[in-house]
Amino acid sequence: MFARLPHPYLLLVLTTLFWSGNMVIGRAIRDQVPPFSLAFWRWTIALALVLPLALPHLRAQGPLLRQHWLAVTVLGLLGIGGYNTLAYIGLQYTPATNAVLLNSFIPIATITLSWIFLKKHLLGVEWFGVLLSFVGVTSIVCRGDLNTLAQMSLNVGDLWMLAAVFTWALYTIGLQWRPPGVHPMLLLAAFTVVGLLALAPGYAWEIAQGQTIQVSTGSLAAIAYTGVFPGFLGYVFYNRAVGEVGASKASLFIHLMPVFGTLLSAIFLAEIPQPYHYAGISLIFAGIYLTTSSLPRAKTP
């Protein structure tokens, strides 16, 4: 099933669509579901979905997985236990505008860390594509008025989001060192187990503090969404795509999140897109095109 997934760029578009919904939900239910609780149950649901696909490979590939325990542990901590939890905490304190803008630094952080750790360089046209895409993001976030940026200030939520940004960038380039020969579903299951073990103390602390889930149809549906789409399918798609096109190109698709955020707001909140939305979306797609069309696709490791 995994080998027959479609084109990696389509997978990345779907992933950012799922993750955009995740950001909207994380902000919307912040008063009903505490951040560690949301992260813990999100990954519990994802693990339940991936286990039936992973367990058939455990006996044959378990020794190989144990041999690369350090890489599995680090990637599980970064990608499962780290990024989303830090983002959920940040969304408790920072407005959506700040969160989206800071999240859009992921491609730049990934490219910078790829240059530092992997010695990977982009061509001039690719750097221009990254810049063009970021300008498009900025135009959406600041609503076509640069004075909006001057009025923004960092708060504690923004610092949590920055930590999430660099955590995800490290996870993305760290996928270069995932154990070769291990089935992707077994690998995702291993990452998820590591992440859940890391999240369990934080979840227990929230319960001890009296921060529990306010059970309702809406909160349960929201948790289910985060587990199935951004959790299970999003990570399956993203891990596959990074192996195909590399960390720098894959991370650029994060710039689509403001695009999908705008569309989701129009559909579910009846917010009519403005001219600056269309301009920003055009710049984002132009930047992604320039960056993804200049180099041949990398082979899956």
Side-chain angles (χ1 to χ4, degrees), residues 23 25 67 76 96 116 144 147 192 194-195 207 209 212 232 258 299:
M23 285 290 183
I25 286 176
Q67 181 182 347
I116 293 173
N147 290 327
T192 305
V194 171
I207 294 175
Q209 297 295 312
T212 57
F232 174 60
K299 299 293 183 181

Side-chain angles (χ1 to χ4, degrees), residues 230-251:
F232 174 60
L233 292 177
Y235 274 65
V236 169
F237 291 177
Y238 191 78
N239 290 353
R240 169 75 174 190
V242 169
E244 289 284 325
V245 305
S248 296
K249 287 187 176 182
S251 68

